[in-house]
Amino acid sequence: MLLLSTAITPLLAAPTLEEVRSTALNSDEIAYDIVEGLTTEIGPRQGGTEAEARARTWSVAKLKSLGFDNVRIEEYQMPTWVRGEETAEIIAPFTHKLAVTALGNSGSTGDKGLEGEIVYFPTLDDLRAAPDGSLKGKIAFVSHSMMRTQDGSSYGAFGPARFVGPNIAAKKGAAAIVIRSAGTDYHRNPHTGNTNFDADVTPIPAGALSIPDAENLERMLKRGKPVTMKLKLTPKNVGMQVSGNVLAEVKGSNPQLPIIVIACHLDSWDLGTGAIDDAAGCGIIAAAAKHLKTLGQPKRTVRLLWAGAEEVGIWGGKDYGSKHAAEPHALAMESDFGAGKVWAVDFTLPDSASEQKAKIIAALAPLGVVPRKAPAGGGADVGAIIAAQKLGIIDLQQDGTKYFDLHHTPDDTLDKIDKAEMRQNVAAWVATLAVVANYEGELKP
Amino acid sequence: MLLLSTAITPLLAAPTLEEVRSTALNSDEIAYDIVEGLTTEIGPRQGGTEAEARARTWSVAKLKSLGFDNVRIEEYQMPTWVRGEETAEIIAPFTHKLAVTALGNSGSTGDKGLEGEIVYFPTLDDLRAAPDGSLKGKIAFVSHSMMRTQDGSSYGAFGPARFVGPNIAAKKGAAAIVIRSAGTDYHRNPHTGNTNFDADVTPIPAGALSIPDAENLERMLKRGKPVTMKLKLTPKNVGMQVSGNVLAEVKGSNPQLPIIVIACHLDSWDLGTGAIDDAAGCGIIAAAAKHLKTLGQPKRTVRLLWAGAEEVGIWGGKDYGSKHAAEPHALAMESDFGAGKVWAVDFTLPDSASEQKAKIIAALAPLGVVPRKAPAGGGADVGAIIAAQKLGIIDLQQDGTKYFDLHHTPDDTLDKIDKAEMRQNVAAWVATLAVVANYEGELKP
Ligand SMILES: [Zn+2]
Ligand SMILES: [Zn+2]
């Protein structure tokens, strides 16, 4: 059907939406090339580091070469934490080295490390229930039972072991904490990610064990004898450092119309090369914006925001929100959930845009994308601008079944990208943008 | 059918082979418990180390508790190499840390590491073709294209990059060598394993890169600029150390009959916990021997050989071969290819035993095991005794499709064991042993 409609289009006419969607679906390599380039020529690019600065330079060159308008960097300063050495060893009743990694904002054990008896909490609620002071001098170990879910919602359910577990353990007097990685794989690659301590709490050393190691520790504990760990984590805070966002645009024909911002994040955690999190998102939105141009100049300006320092505190998204608070925006979208297929679409739009919504649903249907009844929420990097201007939002929901196998691990590398799935993703994006970027009516709910 | 035949067996009669096979297939946890115990209470247990000694002590207690006869340790001495620090970093034209591990017998870079330009060889034959002296001061990088195969034969085709690549590179003057891991996974866990240098060749630092890292390095090289690596590997030789075999028996009713030896290896590489390589083999043969006893005392003695120091030079197998050279053996079998299903059986038996062969084939058929036309070859740990006495051999061939995803990596952990597959494996072993251990005729070909 798609091929037939291509065949009967008159020569030199602008392509139809169906044709552009088909091109994206069948032949696009722009998105993959961006992931390939970032993972090969830059690698890990943690927010606030020199590697992230190299990634910005690389990105400006890439976005210019793709023909985008107004390609530029907007810098800001941010407090920066960097990883040191990291080892964990069970020293009694058995001797085992465990695969561990420090969580972002973890305290340091010092170069000599620290030893402590493990106090086991099967769930975060068990840690919450521990009496104050009961962990004095001990190492808390929090496990959980995170399973794979298509929508990734198990991260919301079990991620708090990482987000708030260390703060809770610190307040109860623990010397340190290790958690079962917030992940769903069985490889010896722990999952890092930020944790946060209250301003009046001194950060304690906080690490994540790989899942095979966490399960081994549980088996040791089940034997009933006290288990002692020697933990060494030597991260440090290196003060305020430069980070930045990279912006680029497809200029719209009507500069009076509020713009559309589409976002990904350029920074990545330091353990992998940030292929699925989130070079993929940057590749997807850039490819979609590039295809959009082949439909002819859109009415609205579409701005690409390749945000800095998302992982370590959404510094880029916050900076964008404050620097662009006065500039009229209409709609925000974000791609930050890997390179997998889009399976659903959610909307936060005004009732007046129901015809546009129907057009998008129709354009996504051939790609196997279904509408849901849930409102769209956007993403971390567009959160500040959405809040500031109460924007319209469209979420292209990706299949996250395997996402937390790789998330924040050394295994987040180029080989994990499925080109065919990524093409479907780009096709869904361009089909959606083609509607909203050419609609002059209200998009804010 | 099997359940029905159980139901009509008179009380107190010895169970039939079908019943024992069925028991093994449906309810056995002996094999799993051994893997669970070794991986939890001991962990990695490299040949010649203190951890291997703890594993021997553990094994003696376990085999005694299972009721085997003559449980004992036979010690020997062996030269021992131990891992040090290991890091690899690309320093130009991009900067990347690569996941690397030293190969067994690797030389040391010294504490300061060494820097060198990468010389790329897509295959081992390309390295072989390099002119003598052409690698002076350089770091050779040998890649390959090992794919998954059911019979594991791709290890034979591509393993030589590890077995002999470093020796070849050293002879051509290379400062060091890194290879693409001899494996089939895509995780950031390099595959270690022994390499060997000729007596007149000074060992050079020799490492394996994880497969995602090897592919990233290839992508960097394809950009056409010289690529420089900083490599640090600081392993060392710690001289002669004690290792040992653990032996145990099911005593046969006729001590005149030559014995059957069934083997696994107790040692493991140091990166994982040696679950599939080869705690699984030790679990499988012990479970099978234990089930064999429930059939009534066999005519022949069946000896379990939990060999030491296989990975680092088959020291246990060689020691067994020389210490037991004068003791009459009839047949050897080995389990050292993971915990997966048995899919085929190979024989090296005399023509006179064709009826026994047919019985084994019939007993294995309900388990989905097919006979092949290939002769049986045995395994590393029984190689010396087979060679010394020209023994009969039966190989229960396991499905090796995923074996080289895990082989010699940190990922070789308990969670990789599939209990149902392991039970099928044990059932195949007991069905086979039940025939040969009760056959009084000649088993040597
Ligand atoms: Zn992300
Ligand atoms: Zn082995």
Side-chain angles (χ1 to χ4, degrees):
Chain A
M1 291 291 276
L2 294 171
L3 287 175
L4 186 65
S5 80
T6 307
I8 60 172
T9 302
L11 277 171
L12 298 179
T16 65
L17 172 55
E18 288 72 22
E19 286 161 2
V20 174
R21 188 185 59 200
S22 176
T23 302
L25 194 57
N26 289 296
S27 61
D28 176 59
E29 297 303 334
I30 298 169
Y32 186 82
D33 286 349
I34 286 171
V35 184
E36 198 268 355
L38 277 171
T39 56
T40 305
E41 299 184 11
I42 307 298
R45 44 197 183 278
Q46 190 183 326
T49 69
E50 160 280 332
E52 196 199 29
R54 279 188 282 116
R56 286 193 294 279
T57 305
W58 185 96
S59 300
V60 165
K62 172 60 77 174
L63 290 163
K64 281 185 177 167
S65 79
L66 287 167
F68 290 109
D69 306 310
N70 288 336
V71 180
R72 63 202 186 275
I73 292 170
E74 290 181 350
E75 289 186 353
Y76 48 85
Q77 299 263 325
M78 52 163 287
T80 301
W81 170 101
V82 295
R83 192 177 303 288
E85 286 182 78
E86 30 199 36
T87 58
E89 205 170 342
I90 300 301
I91 53 178
F94 313 115
T95 60
H96 267 273
K97 287 182 185 160
L98 305 183
V100 72
T101 199
L103 300 175
N105 296 324
S106 166
S108 172
T109 59
D111 283 340
K112 291 192 176 150
L114 64 81
E115 289 182 19
E117 190 183 328
I118 294 285
V119 186
Y120 173 51
F121 301 101
T123 70
L124 181 61
D125 280 342
D126 295 317
L127 173 65
R128 285 194 174 104
D132 279 349
S134 64
L135 291 172
K136 194 127 191 85
K138 308 281 173 80
I139 300 177
F141 166 43
V142 178
S143 194
H144 56 79
S145 56
M146 182 172 165
M147 301 291 281
R148 293 191 180 108
T149 47
Q150 184 179 351
D151 63 1
S153 57
S154 58
Y155 186 57
F158 297 102
R162 189 192 90 213
F163 312 148
V164 300
N167 188 54
I168 296 169
K171 288 202 280 190
K172 290 179 190 288
I177 180 173
V178 291
I179 64 165
R180 175 179 167 130
S181 285
T184 52
D185 62 297
Y186 272 90
H187 299 286
R188 301 286 296 286
N189 292 316
H191 297 236
T192 190
N194 252 21
T195 190
N196 288 294
F197 293 94
D198 292 345
D200 60 343
V201 171
T202 303
I204 57 173
L209 299 173
S210 89
I211 289 160
D213 289 283
E215 292 194 354
N216 202 340
L217 179 51
E218 285 182 306
R219 292 196 301 274
M220 291 180 212
L221 288 158
K222 270 198 191 127
R223 263 100 169 137
K225 290 185 189 154
V227 174
T228 309
M229 174 182 279
K230 176 161 187 187
L231 182 67
K232 183 176 180 184
L233 302 173
T234 61
K236 58 184 180 205
N237 294 306
V238 292
M240 296 301 279
Q241 301 290 330
V242 175
S243 180
N245 293 320
V246 179
L247 307 186
E249 283 157 21
V250 178
K251 275 210 173 161
S253 58
N254 184 350
Q256 305 308 316
L257 290 172
I259 70 167
I260 292 171
V261 61
I262 58 177
C264 63
H265 63 86
L266 180 58
D267 69 305
S268 78
W269 271 109
D270 57 331
L271 301 175
T273 58
I276 67 152
D277 189 11
D278 183 30
C282 294
I284 288 164
I285 67 169
K290 176 85 181 160
H291 286 303
L292 178 70
K293 284 179 74 172
T294 65
L295 280 166
Q297 189 181 18
K299 289 177 179 152
R300 285 182 201 271
T301 291
V302 174
R303 178 176 295 157
L304 282 71
L305 166 59
W306 286 16
E310 188 270 351
E311 298 291 4
V312 290
I314 321 179
W315 299 98
K318 289 179 214 162
D319 186 72
Y320 182 85
S322 68
K323 283 194 182 137
H324 296 268
E327 186 186 13
H329 288 63
L331 181 101
M333 296 178 65
E334 179 149 351
S335 178
D336 182 19
F337 201 46
K341 270 182 132 170
V342 175
W343 69 281
V345 57
D346 301 335
F347 299 93
T348 295
L349 291 176
D351 290 344
S352 58
S354 63
E355 203 180 311
Q356 309 307 313
K357 208 165 124 175
K359 270 194 198 173
I360 292 169
I361 291 169
L364 292 176
L367 299 169
V369 181
V370 296
R372 298 198 305 182
K373 298 212 160 74
D381 302 294
V382 291
I385 192 72
I386 288 172
Q389 302 192 6
K390 312 282 176 255
L391 302 183
I393 313 168
I394 302 176
D395 289 343
L396 292 171
Q397 300 289 1
Q398 300 176 232
D399 188 326
T401 310
K402 294 187 224 156
Y403 186 70
F404 292 104
D405 286 9
L406 304 171
H407 183 246
H408 298 184
T409 74
D411 268 345
D412 181 1
T413 49
L414 180 66
D415 47 278
K416 308 309 184 303
I417 303 285
D418 181 313
K419 287 184 183 184
E421 292 202 4
M422 199 180 206
R423 286 200 289 261
Q424 185 264 8
N425 199 312
V426 172
W429 269 81
V430 69
T432 305
L433 288 178
V435 176
V436 291
N438 289 295
Y439 175 61
E440 294 178 289
E442 182 60 72
L443 286 167
K444 293 190 191 181
Chain B
M1 289 289 277
L2 294 169
L3 287 174
L4 187 65
S5 80
T6 308
I8 59 172
T9 303
L11 278 171
L12 299 178
T16 64
L17 172 54
E18 288 72 21
E19 285 160 3
V20 174
R21 187 186 58 198
S22 175
T23 302
L25 193 58
N26 290 297
S27 61
D28 175 59
E29 296 304 335
I30 299 168
Y32 186 82
D33 286 349
I34 286 170
V35 183
E36 198 269 354
L38 276 170
T39 56
T40 305
E41 299 183 11
I42 307 299
R45 45 197 183 277
Q46 191 183 325
T49 68
E50 161 280 332
E52 196 199 28
R54 279 189 282 117
R56 286 194 294 279
T57 304
W58 186 96
S59 299
V60 165
K62 173 59 76 175
L63 290 164
K64 281 186 176 165
S65 78
L66 287 168
F68 290 110
D69 307 310
N70 288 336
V71 180
R72 63 204 187 274
I73 292 170
E74 290 182 350
E75 289 186 354
Y76 49 85
Q77 299 262 324
M78 52 164 288
T80 300
W81 171 100
V82 294
R83 191 176 306 286
E85 284 182 80
E86 31 200 34
T87 57
E89 204 171 341
I90 299 301
I91 53 178
F94 313 116
T95 60
H96 267 273
K97 287 182 186 161
L98 305 182
V100 72
T101 199
L103 300 175
N105 295 323
S106 166
S108 172
T109 59
D111 283 338
K112 291 193 177 153
L114 65 81
E115 289 181 19
E117 190 185 327
I118 295 284
V119 186
Y120 174 51
F121 301 102
T123 70
L124 182 60
D125 280 343
D126 295 317
L127 173 65
R128 285 194 173 104
D132 280 350
S134 64
L135 292 173
K136 194 125 189 88
K138 308 279 174 81
I139 299 177
F141 166 43
V142 179
S143 194
H144 56 79
S145 55
M146 183 171 166
M147 300 292 281
R148 292 191 180 108
T149 48
Q150 184 178 352
D151 63 1
S153 57
S154 57
Y155 186 57
F158 297 102
R162 189 191 89 212
F163 312 148
V164 300
N167 188 55
I168 295 169
K171 288 203 280 192
K172 292 180 190 286
I177 180 173
V178 291
I179 63 165
R180 175 179 166 129
S181 284
T184 52
D185 63 296
Y186 272 89
H187 299 288
R188 300 287 296 286
N189 292 315
H191 297 236
T192 190
N194 252 18
T195 190
N196 287 294
F197 293 93
D198 292 345
D200 61 342
V201 172
T202 304
I204 58 173
L209 299 173
S210 89
I211 289 160
D213 289 284
E215 293 195 353
N216 203 341
L217 180 51
E218 285 182 306
R219 291 195 302 273
M220 291 180 213
L221 288 158
K222 270 197 193 128
R223 262 95 169 142
K225 290 187 191 154
V227 174
T228 309
M229 175 182 279
K230 175 160 187 187
L231 182 67
K232 182 175 180 185
L233 302 173
T234 61
K236 58 184 180 203
N237 294 305
V238 292
M240 297 301 280
Q241 302 290 331
V242 175
S243 179
N245 294 320
V246 179
L247 307 186
E249 283 157 22
V250 177
K251 274 211 172 157
S253 57
N254 183 349
Q256 305 309 314
L257 289 172
I259 71 168
I260 292 170
V261 61
I262 59 177
C264 64
H265 64 86
L266 180 58
D267 69 305
S268 77
W269 271 109
D270 57 331
L271 301 176
T273 59
I276 68 152
D277 190 11
D278 182 31
C282 294
I284 288 163
I285 67 170
K290 176 84 181 161
H291 285 302
L292 178 70
K293 283 180 75 173
T294 64
L295 280 166
Q297 188 180 22
K299 288 178 177 152
R300 288 182 200 269
T301 291
V302 174
R303 177 176 295 157
L304 281 72
L305 166 60
W306 286 17
E310 189 269 352
E311 298 290 4
V312 289
I314 321 178
W315 298 98
K318 290 179 211 158
D319 186 72
Y320 182 86
S322 67
K323 282 195 183 134
H324 297 269
E327 185 185 14
H329 288 62
L331 181 100
M333 295 177 66
E334 179 149 351
S335 178
D336 182 19
F337 201 45
K341 269 184 132 169
V342 175
W343 69 282
V345 56
D346 301 333
F347 299 95
T348 295
L349 292 175
D351 290 343
S352 59
S354 63
E355 205 180 309
Q356 309 307 313
K357 208 164 123 174
K359 270 193 199 174
I360 292 169
I361 290 169
L364 292 175
L367 299 170
V369 181
V370 295
R372 297 198 304 180
K373 298 211 159 75
D381 302 293
V382 291
I385 192 73
I386 287 172
Q389 300 193 6
K390 312 280 176 258
L391 301 184
I393 314 168
I394 302 176
D395 289 345
L396 293 171
Q397 300 290 0
Q398 299 175 234
D399 189 326
T401 310
K402 293 187 225 156
Y403 186 71
F404 292 103
D405 286 9
L406 304 171
H407 183 246
H408 298 183
T409 74
D411 268 344
D412 181 2
T413 49
L414 180 66
D415 48 277
K416 308 310 183 302
I417 302 286
D418 180 313
K419 286 184 182 183
E421 292 203 5
M422 198 180 206
R423 286 200 289 261
Q424 184 264 10
N425 199 312
V426 171
W429 268 81
V430 69
T432 306
L433 287 178
V435 176
V436 291
N438 289 295
Y439 174 61
E440 295 179 290
E442 183 60 73
L443 285 167
K444 292 189 190 181

